[in-house]
Amino acid sequence: MKQDMILILDLGSGENPRLAREIRAMGVYTEIHPHDISAGELAALPNVKGIILNGGPNRVVDGVEIDASEAVYTSGLPIWAVDHKGSAPLAAEGAEREKAIRDFVFGTCQAEANWNMDNFIADQVELIRRQVGDKKVLLALSGGVDSSVVAALLIRAIGDQLTCVHVNHGLLRKGEPEQVVRVFREEMGANLIYVDAVDRFLDKLAGVSDPERKRKIIGAEFIRVFEEEARKLEGISFLGQGTIYPDIIESGTKTVKAVKSHHNVGGLPEDLKFELVEPLKMLFKDEVRACGKALGLPDSMVYRQPFPGPGLGVRCLGAITRDRLEAVRESDAILREEFDKNGLAGKVWQYFTAIPDLKSVGVREGRRADEWCVIIRAVNTVDAMTATVEDVPFPLLQHITGRITREVKGVNRVLFDLTPKPTGTIEWE
């Protein structure tokens, strides 16, 4: 079933993602496109019921005020010109704003509220089958939310035409590699190649303390491992990627500067010559999670916490050692278990442990013990640009401290990070 669409044209507003999410929350599909969309590009979009010209402070580009193309004005579609200078209905908040949007979407455009995850999945299955045909797709499956949902969607669409590669670099959280194998190979029947590259990665990282060097080594080595596995396979024509809508938006538009560039596999050699399959590229993060739920993925995978690409490599602060890396993994598992048991797992945006390359004197079994300290970080944020510290109950912190110092080898202290962002950052490296 093809959903009705409201098209948002970017004329310099920073409100585009918010407006798109508000309309999707009403059950109507939206996409954001450049202001100068051509007649051909407009005609290629299915079921467009109306267009919002979303103006804002970046409307002047190189000294010239931009406007929509003539193709938009001659399309015959309902058009709503909006700016955010204080005079337009969308400058308001609450029910005065929601009514304005509803009046245009459902009144003027006569759009139907037929945007839902079942329809999205059905459409994407059809599109994937049409794009891939009888050829094969390769996917780097990290176990993160985006790659896991892409894998489940591709399995639904093309079954054993998909090959997943899971690279265990030794920097994942406790139980995550095993969960990937169990869910995708054993429960979903995927063609899954599991690569144990732990020694390879940790040998490369030995003695490296600079955070940026660690990141580059981890990223480059992942590419090498993935490339080696890809070259062993025959008949691969497509590369699946977990690109999502914020990745595209944050990479910049003609009127908005890039927040950051995004690469999912990143820098794969050009001679691999894969065509991309990106079925989630028009979904926001909460919609990706909803898609994963609809596809039957477990909550522990769908609601997996944000996790840095270098994994525990940036939470084992300074030069990574195997004993300290294991201590990070075990202390993090205890923290997650206790937050889950005490109702904080769904309340706190991100929580983890980190261990600096620093020992302090302590007492263990009546003797002096020079051991590591564990830092607990628990923060809440809306956009990751700023963050506040969760007020974790003190008795719970005492209980967690007791467990970590008893159960994690080589640790004699537990510290709680009280620093918001700014001046701190969410991660330590």
Side-chain angles (χ1 to χ4, degrees):
M1 178 179 181
K2 299 299 182 185
Q3 291 92 355
D4 288 349
M5 182 194 298
I6 299 296
L7 186 62
I8 299 173
L9 296 187
D10 175 22
L11 275 80
S13 172
E15 291 271 307
N16 293 321
R18 178 189 176 188
L19 180 57
R21 292 174 66 84
E22 288 171 320
I23 296 173
R24 289 190 187 186
M26 296 174 183
V28 179
Y29 183 61
T30 56
E31 287 186 7
I32 303 166
H33 284 259
H35 68 281
D36 56 354
I37 187 170
S38 68
E41 291 168 332
L42 183 57
L45 295 174
N47 291 20
V48 176
K49 295 295 184 178
I51 299 173
I52 299 177
L53 307 181
N54 205 21
N58 298 312
R59 188 161 186 168
V60 177
V61 178
D62 296 329
V64 178
E65 184 171 281
I66 59 174
D67 199 355
S69 63
E70 183 180 352
V72 170
Y73 289 108
T74 59
S75 66
L77 293 166
I79 294 174
W80 187 21
V82 176
D83 66 43
H84 295 274
K85 298 176 182 176
S87 60
L90 291 191
E93 294 294 337
E96 192 174 8
R97 180 183 175 97
E98 183 177 347
K99 183 178 183 304
I101 296 171
R102 283 187 175 276
D103 284 348
F104 178 71
V105 172
F106 297 111
T108 305
C109 299
Q110 295 290 297
E112 291 186 30
N114 54 13
W115 160 242
N116 59 59
M117 207 42 67
D118 287 340
N119 288 346
F120 170 81
I121 290 171
D123 283 352
Q124 287 303 315
V125 165
E126 179 185 337
L127 290 171
I128 291 166
R129 288 172 177 169
R130 191 183 307 160
Q131 180 185 8
V132 173
D134 60 357
K135 296 182 172 62
K136 295 180 180 179
V137 180
L138 181 64
L139 174 70
L141 177 56
S142 68
V145 178
D146 301 338
S147 71
S148 296
V149 176
V150 168
L153 189 52
L154 288 169
I155 291 167
R156 173 79 60 91
I158 57 172
D160 61 8
Q161 291 171 245
L162 171 69
T163 298
C164 300
V165 176
H166 177 62
V167 178
N168 181 4
H169 47 34
L171 304 171
L172 295 171
R173 289 175 287 205
K174 187 173 182 178
E176 287 185 330
E178 294 83 358
Q179 184 187 39
V180 169
V181 172
R182 184 181 70 254
V183 170
F184 288 98
R185 180 185 286 168
E186 298 174 11
E187 297 177 11
M188 303 188 79
N191 292 326
L192 175 66
I193 297 172
Y194 172 81
V195 183
D196 183 349
V198 174
D199 289 341
R200 178 170 173 171
F201 274 82
L202 296 186
D203 288 347
K204 288 276 185 180
L205 290 164
V208 179
S209 60
D210 179 73
E212 286 307 307
R213 277 196 64 208
K214 288 200 290 186
R215 281 182 167 86
K216 288 178 181 177
I217 290 169
I218 294 165
E221 199 61 22
F222 175 83
I223 290 166
R224 290 191 191 98
V225 174
F226 187 77
E227 178 193 1
E228 289 169 12
E229 296 302 320
R231 294 194 188 283
K232 295 176 186 176
L233 303 171
E234 294 183 358
I236 301 292
S237 301
F238 295 89
L239 180 69
Q241 284 201 157
T243 309
I244 65 174
Y245 213 13
D247 298 345
I248 296 171
I249 294 168
E250 287 185 347
S251 294
T253 68
K254 295 177 182 178
T255 62
V256 180
K257 291 182 179 178
V259 177
K260 55 185 174 180
S261 59
H262 289 263
H263 339 271
N264 283 321
V265 175
L268 289 175
E270 291 184 4
D271 59 352
L272 289 180
K273 294 179 180 175
F274 294 138
E275 183 181 335
L276 294 181
V277 179
E278 300 173 294
L280 305 182
K281 68 180 179 182
M282 303 310 292
L283 293 187
F284 292 100
K285 192 71 172 188
D286 58 327
E287 294 169 338
V288 174
R289 296 187 194 279
C291 184
K293 284 285 289 179
L295 288 165
L297 290 176
D299 284 359
S300 58
M301 192 167 273
V302 170
Y303 297 107
R304 182 181 189 255
Q305 279 207 343
F307 195 51
L312 298 181
V314 293
R315 295 178 182 172
C316 187
L317 309 179
I320 298 171
T321 59
R322 293 180 184 244
D323 58 347
R324 199 153 43 90
L325 179 61
E326 194 58 28
V328 173
R329 197 178 342 263
E330 291 297 326
S331 60
D332 176 80
I334 291 171
L335 180 68
R336 288 191 288 133
E337 180 185 330
E338 291 297 333
F339 268 39
D340 187 50
K341 287 196 301 189
N342 289 276
L344 292 176
K347 180 185 174 188
V348 184
W349 183 78
Q350 191 166 7
Y351 47 94
F352 58 89
T353 62
I355 300 185
D357 189 6
L358 173 69
K359 286 187 174 181
S360 67
V361 66
V363 178
R364 190 173 295 283
E365 298 178 351
R367 297 183 178 181
R368 177 189 177 102
D370 291 319
E371 295 179 334
W372 312 112
C373 64
V374 166
I375 300 163
I376 294 175
R377 185 80 164 136
V379 296
N380 291 308
T381 182
V382 173
D383 56 9
M385 302 302 292
T386 62
T388 58
V389 177
E390 174 67 18
D391 185 12
V392 181
F394 190 65
L396 177 57
L397 286 176
Q398 290 179 305
H399 176 68
I400 292 170
T401 298
R403 281 200 61 190
I404 289 175
T405 53
R406 285 194 309 271
E407 299 175 30
V408 181
K409 186 178 180 181
V411 170
N412 62 7
R413 292 179 190 267
V414 177
L415 314 177
F416 185 68
D417 184 353
L418 290 167
T419 315
K421 178 181 180 179
T423 55
T425 54
I426 292 171
E427 297 285 344
W428 270 63
E429 281 191 347

